[in-house]
Amino acid sequence: MSETFKAVVIDEVDGKPQGAVKAITLADLPDHEVLVQVAYSTLNYKDGLNVTGSGRIARRLPMIAGADLAGTVLESKDPAFKPGDAVIVNGWGMSETTGGGYTRYQRVKAEWLTRLPAAFSLKQAMAIGTAGYTAALSVVALERWGRIQPGDGEVLVTGAAGGVGSVSVALLARRGYRVTAATGRPDTHDYLQRLGATGFVERAALAEKGGPLQKERWTGAIDSVGSTTLANVLAQTVRDGAVAACGLAGGADLPATVMPHILRGVALIGIDSVMASHEKRAAAWALLAESLDPALLDAMTEVRPMSDILGLADAIMAGTVRGRVVIDVTA
């Protein structure tokens, strides 16, 4: 084990948080019971906020960035895990309140670990990452609502070309839903059609303020944008439909009314991927193993070295990242 290794560390620079690749040691890691040799992490919108300093994600500084990791247990004080176990961690405060996955080694609590599902390699697990796992949580939530069935109308996915959106489109289409993708990038239409989208909505049309009740169209939706977009999606959802809200790329506000909820029975389901229960995580990963085509996962994924993270963080904040980006922490 190397005495020093590279990590992406968020620290204060000119009065604001900023990420940089630095050399650290094991002494810089949290004092948790399981030491993991990390192979891969991934790039999420939250990581872009953290690394660029556009949002104060890290609650204290310095902080190792990266909301996900996949790797192999090296040491464990908990008998539930032993050296050689392949594991993943999604969320649980990584990169916020405890060190994250943009590092060759990380110490984590045993209770945060998920054993690598047999259906996926470490790289594939990070191609899924928090974004894909959030998409799966959203699909599970819509299906458990019980009033949305494959073949019953259109299901909308906003931010469709992004990480959450791409996996959402692929999962919903594979499960038999008719998927409409909302995107502001016409050049992604062919890509989204390959994932299973059958229709498109211009992102700008959903970003313009509309009435509290609009023409009913969506039997369900997965929204990673928030703000006016989410308000319009709710206003356009059919009676007894549901919307799973899992992101805020367009803003944390919700300029809406209660009218869709009390006049049409529309449900707004919040998706928390960070502190989700083990039962919810197991259901999400089971759905991914069952319904995510590995070929489609590969088609939406690129692998980039950790040394590229600063540019990648800028790109995801600018909305120019398509699909999923796996971060190779060894490079």
Side-chain angles (χ1 to χ4, degrees), residues 10 46 49 66 70 74 89 106-107 123 125 138 152 160 172 193 216 219 249 254 276 305 308-309 311:
I10 312 297
K46 177 187 287 186
L49 288 169
L74 287 182
V89 183
Q106 188 55 273
R107 288 197 185 97
K123 183 168 73 173
S138 301
D152 291 347
L172 288 165
Q193 284 179 322
E216 295 176 64
T219 59
L254 182 56
D308 286 353
I309 195 64

Side-chain angles (χ1 to χ4, degrees), residues 81 116 187-188 218 228 253 317:
F81 293 93
L116 179 71
D187 59 302
T188 64
W218 321 114
T228 304
D253 61 320
M317 294 307 300

Side-chain angles (χ1 to χ4, degrees), residues 87-177:
V87 295
I88 55 179
V89 183
N90 304 110
W92 295 117
M94 284 204 312
S95 77
E96 298 178 59
T97 57
T98 190
Y102 291 167
T103 172
R104 186 63 170 124
Y105 301 97
Q106 188 55 273
R107 288 197 185 97
V108 298
K109 291 185 178 181
E111 65 197 66
W112 299 341
L113 293 172
T114 296
R115 295 186 187 278
L116 179 71
F120 304 114
S121 66
L122 291 173
K123 183 168 73 173
Q124 287 173 322
M126 288 297 95
I128 294 166
T130 284
Y133 143 73
T134 300
L137 286 171
S138 301
V139 174
V140 170
L142 288 179
E143 293 189 340
R144 287 185 174 177
W145 174 243
R147 303 177 189 181
I148 300 170
Q149 302 295 326
D152 291 347
E154 297 175 84
V155 177
L156 176 70
V157 176
T158 66
V164 174
S166 293
V167 180
S168 295
V169 170
L171 288 174
L172 288 165
R174 184 69 175 264
R175 296 177 76 79
Y177 296 92

Side-chain angles (χ1 to χ4, degrees), residues 50 56-63 93 95-98 274:
N50 208 3
R56 285 192 172 269
I57 302 300
R59 309 285 180 85
R60 62 177 182 272
L61 301 176
M63 176 69 70
S95 77
E96 298 178 59
T97 57
T98 190
V274 175

Side-chain angles (χ1 to χ4, degrees), residues 12-265:
E12 197 85 17
V13 178
D14 297 329
K16 65 173 288 188
Q18 180 70 51
V21 179
K22 297 182 178 181
I24 65 171
T25 70
L26 291 178
D28 297 308
L29 302 180
D31 186 23
H32 297 317
E33 61 264 29
V34 182
L35 177 65
V36 178
Q37 183 177 51
V38 184
Y40 300 102
S41 185
T42 187
L43 178 71
N44 302 292
Y45 185 75
K46 177 187 287 186
D47 299 315
L49 288 169
N50 208 3
V51 172
T52 63
S54 301
R56 285 192 172 269
I57 302 300
R59 309 285 180 85
R60 62 177 182 272
L61 301 176
M63 176 69 70
I64 299 172
D68 301 270
L69 66 78
T72 305
V73 172
L74 287 182
E75 301 171 3
S76 178
K77 297 176 184 177
D78 189 304
F81 293 93
K82 62 183 186 302
D85 286 346
V87 295
I88 55 179
V89 183
N90 304 110
W92 295 117
M94 284 204 312
S95 77
E96 298 178 59
T97 57
T98 190
Y102 291 167
T103 172
R104 186 63 170 124
Y105 301 97
Q106 188 55 273
R107 288 197 185 97
V108 298
K109 291 185 178 181
E111 65 197 66
W112 299 341
L113 293 172
T114 296
R115 295 186 187 278
L116 179 71
F120 304 114
S121 66
L122 291 173
K123 183 168 73 173
Q124 287 173 322
M126 288 297 95
I128 294 166
T130 284
Y133 143 73
T134 300
L137 286 171
S138 301
V139 174
V140 170
L142 288 179
E143 293 189 340
R144 287 185 174 177
W145 174 243
R147 303 177 189 181
I148 300 170
Q149 302 295 326
D152 291 347
E154 297 175 84
V155 177
L156 176 70
V157 176
T158 66
V164 174
S166 293
V167 180
S168 295
V169 170
L171 288 174
L172 288 165
R174 184 69 175 264
R175 296 177 76 79
Y177 296 92
R178 184 153 55 96
V179 183
T180 297
T183 177
R185 294 182 277 170
D187 59 302
T188 64
H189 285 195
D190 287 346
Y191 161 76
L192 290 166
Q193 284 179 322
R194 290 195 298 274
L195 297 184
T198 57
F200 297 93
V201 171
E202 173 57 41
R203 176 175 62 195
L206 290 172
E208 298 173 359
K209 187 174 181 179
L213 287 176
Q214 301 171 32
K215 182 179 179 180
E216 295 176 64
R217 181 169 182 181
W218 321 114
T219 59
I222 295 175
D223 174 66
S224 60
V225 179
S227 193
T228 304
T229 293
L230 177 55
N232 283 323
V233 172
L234 290 167
Q236 295 169 13
T237 299
V238 306
R239 184 173 303 279
D240 293 329
V243 178
C246 58
L248 43 67
D253 61 320
L254 182 56
T257 74
V258 299
M259 292 175 70
H261 311 297
I262 66 173
L263 297 181
R264 291 179 179 168

